[in-house]
Amino acid sequence: MRHFLTLADFSKDEILEILNIAKKLKSEVKAGKYSNILANQTLGMIFEKNSTRTRVSFETGIYQLGGYGIFLSSNDTQLGRGEPIKDTARVLSSMVDLIMMRTHAHTRLEEFAAYSSVPLINGLSDDFHPMQLLADYLTMQECGKDKNPIVAYIGDGNNMAHSWLMLAAKLGFELRIASPKDYAVDKKILKRAEEFAKISGAKIILSENPKEAIANADVVTTDTWASMGQESEKETRKAAFKDYCVDSALMSIAKSDAIFLHCLPAYRGQEVSEEVLESPQSKIFQEAENRLHAQKGVMVWLHQNR
Ligand code: CP
Ligand code: NVA
């Protein structure tokens, strides 16, 4: 049995295999066909943070595959009142077939996985957001941006930046991350990605200079400057990131046919301008829809690999 906590735990072939399942399922749904691969399967979805896309894509996804999803908010469950993770994991996994969890510290997921008798999927932690990256890469494939691309990530060294590091390191493409000095990626995660990059041939370049990072890029991406849990740092971060807005001037330094991606929700006028977000280069809604298809691929793959 496998869990899906980070892309670090998956090989390039496995990542591409999951995406191939996703593509097949997407084309079937577009043709009005729904397979029942996960008939009678129940997915428990634990949310300790807010969500629009992750919740709806997992719930719709399991339903389209013939199964059933249970939304478990930490406000309503005993988890929110302090029931230990290790007890919750054993109880839930004795009843459901698959669990997705969105949480704070990544160690909460690791502890849950250690006690769970069914596969656990990371629906976002403070350190990683791997489901988003599968949707992002699926979008790159659909836009023809998966052949030796240069990806520029402009912004916070957060869960999205870390997940881009893992994707690039596993698949072997060039990733440039530009962040303000005090907001760079986690050193331990970077080191791990660099180890994988030695094998895959990925090129990872960190800087504090958005213009340098974006020059000639095929894919440009960013994320909120203040992630969930960092609300109190909003104003300090706004000041620190003021030169890191992906606006039309910055975007014009990338390749003329570069695409723009953002996991959403986006903060217009902060990490990205309204103009870039609404431009033809922006593929953000295709990307958001791909959460549904990519996650169906993950659920089917985990089921087939039990
Ligand atoms: N991108 C993403 O994970 O969105 P939600 O927070 O709405 O789930
Ligand atoms: N970095 C953001 C991503 C939201 C989908 C956060 O963690 O809030």
Side-chain angles (χ1 to χ4, degrees):
M1 182 186 82
R2 299 279 292 276
H3 298 293
F4 204 128
L5 304 193
T6 81
L7 292 168
D9 307 328
F10 287 78
S11 68
K12 175 177 181 172
D13 285 350
E14 286 172 337
I15 293 169
L16 296 177
E17 192 187 333
I18 290 169
L19 289 170
N20 283 340
I21 300 173
K23 276 180 246 176
K24 187 169 171 278
L25 293 170
K26 180 172 180 176
S27 64
E28 282 176 9
V29 166
K30 296 288 174 193
K33 282 191 231 145
Y34 294 87
S35 68
N36 271 336
I37 308 176
L38 298 186
N40 301 319
Q41 300 282 302
T42 303
L43 167 74
M45 305 183 296
I46 303 168
F47 283 91
E48 299 192 300
K49 287 177 176 169
N50 291 43
S51 170
T52 297
R53 282 144 286 268
T54 305
R55 190 237 165 124
V56 176
S57 52
F58 267 109
E59 197 162 332
T60 305
I62 187 76
Y63 178 71
Q64 288 185 354
L65 291 165
Y68 183 74
I70 306 178
F71 174 68
L72 299 159
S73 151
S74 54
N75 296 331
D76 311 320
T77 56
Q78 300 290 4
L79 252 187
R81 294 180 59 247
E83 183 167 12
I85 291 263
K86 59 184 181 182
D87 292 357
T88 307
R90 283 174 284 187
V91 170
L92 286 186
S93 65
S94 74
M95 299 179 189
V96 304
D97 305 284
L98 202 57
I99 299 172
M100 186 243 81
M101 184 173 183
R102 167 168 283 199
T103 190
H104 300 272
H106 193 74
T107 49
R108 286 177 75 73
L109 281 168
E110 289 171 341
E111 187 183 355
F112 197 110
Y115 286 93
S116 174
S117 55
V118 301
L120 177 69
I121 302 170
N122 179 2
L124 180 146
S125 68
D126 288 348
D127 287 348
F128 295 104
H129 195 5
M131 292 303 110
Q132 181 66 50
L133 268 288
L134 290 180
D136 293 4
Y137 196 70
L138 179 56
T139 312
M140 285 169 61
Q141 289 179 318
E142 289 174 343
C143 295
K145 302 290 179 198
D146 57 329
K147 309 280 176 287
N148 301 317
I150 298 175
V151 177
Y153 175 99
I154 312 294
D156 190 22
N158 61 11
N159 45 11
M160 280 303 296
H162 295 156
S163 299
W164 274 108
L165 274 176
M166 287 304 166
L167 186 77
K170 285 286 175 166
L171 299 191
F173 59 78
E174 179 167 340
L175 174 67
R176 306 176 189 158
I177 299 182
S179 318
K181 189 164 152 279
D182 296 333
Y183 298 91
V185 295
D186 180 270
K187 285 199 177 71
K188 266 198 227 138
I189 295 173
L190 174 65
K191 203 163 164 245
R192 208 152 166 229
E194 282 171 345
E195 291 298 318
F196 293 133
K198 277 185 208 153
I199 302 162
S200 69
K203 205 169 160 193
I204 294 169
I205 303 166
L206 301 188
S207 80
E208 289 172 33
N209 187 331
K211 286 185 186 148
E212 237 170 63
I214 209 170
N216 223 23
D218 299 285
V219 178
V220 177
T221 186
T222 181
D223 186 20
T224 179
W225 293 339
S227 286
M228 289 181 273
Q230 298 173 332
E231 287 75 10
S232 64
E233 298 173 32
K234 242 178 189 160
E235 291 312 312
T236 328
R237 285 173 167 268
K238 254 191 208 169
F241 284 87
K242 68 176 176 17
D243 299 327
Y244 289 75
C245 175
V246 180
D247 55 16
S248 299
L250 193 60
M251 196 68 194
S252 71
I253 308 175
K255 285 205 180 106
S256 58
D257 64 348
I259 59 167
F260 174 78
L261 299 178
H262 191 310
C263 63
L264 304 178
Y267 297 85
R268 288 164 162 80
Q270 294 187 38
E271 76 272 10
V272 58
S273 69
E274 168 87 9
E275 206 182 350
V276 168
L277 212 52
E278 298 289 351
S279 73
Q281 283 174 282
S282 170
K283 303 297 172 201
I284 55 171
F285 296 113
Q286 182 177 341
E287 178 188 4
E289 182 193 321
N290 278 338
R291 292 292 306 277
L292 169 65
H293 309 297
Q295 285 157 200
K296 285 170 73 181
V298 170
M299 289 192 282
V300 168
W301 191 93
L302 288 172
H303 179 70
Q304 288 172 347
N305 286 275
R306 283 187 74 173

